[in-house]
Amino acid sequence: MGEKRKSQPKEESAKKARSQKHSSKDSAGKEAAAAELGLSAIPYPKPVSGSSFTECTAKVTVTLAPVYSCDHWAGIHEALNNMLLHYVPQVRGVVLAYSKVKLRSDTALMFFDSPYGQLEVSARLLLWRPIAGMALKGQINVQSPDHIGMLLWDTFNASIPASLIPKDKYEWRPFNDDEIAARALPSTNQSEATGDGNGDDADVAMTGQGEGDADVPASPFTSGNRYGSGEWVIKGTSQCVGSDGSLEFVVVDVIRANEVLSVTGALR
């Protein structure tokens, strides 16, 4: 009897080990199958509501050159203008505009033998500050098997790599030679009909877009005017993503390089 009692725990532990092996094999098999189909889980960030544009009042230390000793406001505006369309770490965003500039002191500070003075001012700044989890809309300017490239408000770059495109919903469809030729014809005919393209229609096509705007500017990927070797389409159909030239996506990462922001996104 004593030997049988001792063998029971061993048998139970062996059963547990066998079940763990089977479960690990099953999970590994599922992961391998998903990898073959390109269905690996996309790390979507937690959704964030609100606009990517914001305002803040910031204190700015302006360095004035000696040439501005008689006109400090000219030096202040030059320093603030140099901040435009640059990422400023102190305010965690790209400065788009400024207003309500005020002096915080009446005198500029000069250190040692430097001819430059430092003056503190405050200004109201309009910022572009995208955050992971926000939903944005961009204008498609390139499609390839590796990524979808876009422009946000005709200014900022955004990219959706193929690894962040759900392969269970979308697939890459290459163009054949006839399709490439057919997509080039409408552009040729339109340029001949409109002449040099410097009229009012060209100005309207360059109008910018904001979040929630009803009008979407013209894009090289609008219907009948696509270029490239192919396009991303909804799986099982021939409907391309962003058929009107614009595409909504979720911000996954914000890349900062040389005072410039670019966005990496993912499709839902």
Side-chain angles (χ1 to χ4, degrees):
M1 294 294 290
E3 292 178 357
K4 290 182 179 179
R5 289 177 181 174
K6 290 181 180 179
S7 63
Q8 287 178 355
K10 292 182 179 179
E11 292 176 358
E12 292 178 358
S13 61
K15 289 180 181 179
K16 290 181 180 179
R18 285 195 296 269
S19 63
Q20 289 177 356
K21 288 181 180 179
H22 287 303
S23 61
S24 62
K25 287 181 180 179
D26 293 340
S27 61
K30 291 179 180 178
E31 290 177 359
E36 290 179 0
L37 296 173
L39 304 180
S40 56
I42 294 177
Y44 291 109
K46 184 178 179 181
V48 176
S49 60
S51 173
S52 58
F53 297 97
T54 185
E55 288 185 312
C56 74
T57 300
K59 182 181 73 173
V60 182
T61 300
V62 175
T63 300
L64 295 177
V67 69
Y68 297 115
S69 58
C70 295
D71 188 1
H72 59 276
W73 280 112
I76 291 171
H77 286 295
E78 182 184 9
L80 293 176
N81 288 338
N82 290 334
M83 295 170 58
L84 298 178
L85 293 181
H86 287 80
Y87 176 78
V88 179
Q90 290 80 356
V91 294
R92 298 180 293 113
V94 177
V95 180
L96 302 178
Y98 64 87
S99 61
K100 300 180 180 179
V101 183
K102 298 179 181 179
L103 292 175
R104 293 178 58 91
S105 61
D106 297 333
T107 57
L109 299 178
M110 302 185 70
F111 298 93
F112 305 107
D113 58 348
S114 174
Y116 293 89
Q118 291 188 354
L119 189 64
E120 287 190 353
V121 300
S122 65
R124 189 72 175 171
L125 304 179
L126 174 63
L127 307 173
W128 184 61
R129 187 190 290 169
I131 301 174
M134 282 185 171
L136 299 179
K137 179 186 287 187
Q139 293 300 120
I140 301 174
N141 58 8
V142 64
Q143 292 194 55
S144 74
D146 298 327
H147 79 292
I148 299 175
M150 292 173 291
L151 272 180
L152 307 177
W153 300 281
D154 291 331
T155 305
F156 307 106
N157 288 317
S159 176
I160 303 176
S163 60
L164 296 179
I165 300 176
K167 304 305 186 298
D168 58 336
K169 296 181 180 180
Y170 309 96
E171 62 183 356
W172 172 256
R173 187 181 72 86
F175 293 149
N176 55 42
D177 294 339
D178 294 336
E179 287 178 309
I180 294 175
R183 281 166 169 75
L185 287 176
S187 176
T188 304
N189 295 336
Q190 184 178 4
S191 62
E192 292 176 356
T194 57
D196 57 3
N198 291 329
D200 297 336
D201 293 339
D203 297 335
V204 174
M206 294 300 294
T207 303
Q209 125 239 23
E211 291 178 332
D213 287 351
D215 297 331
V216 178
S219 167
F221 280 86
T222 53
S223 178
N225 190 23
R226 299 185 182 89
Y227 300 94
S229 61
E231 62 184 357
W232 286 92
V233 299
I234 300 174
K235 196 167 187 179
T237 70
S238 59
Q239 181 181 354
C240 64
V241 297
S243 56
D244 62 346
S246 63
L247 183 62
E248 292 185 359
F249 64 95
V250 178
V251 178
V252 174
D253 191 18
V254 180
I255 302 171
R256 307 174 185 88
N258 298 326
E259 299 182 349
V260 176
L261 283 190
S262 60
V263 171
T264 300
L267 286 184
R268 287 287 187 183

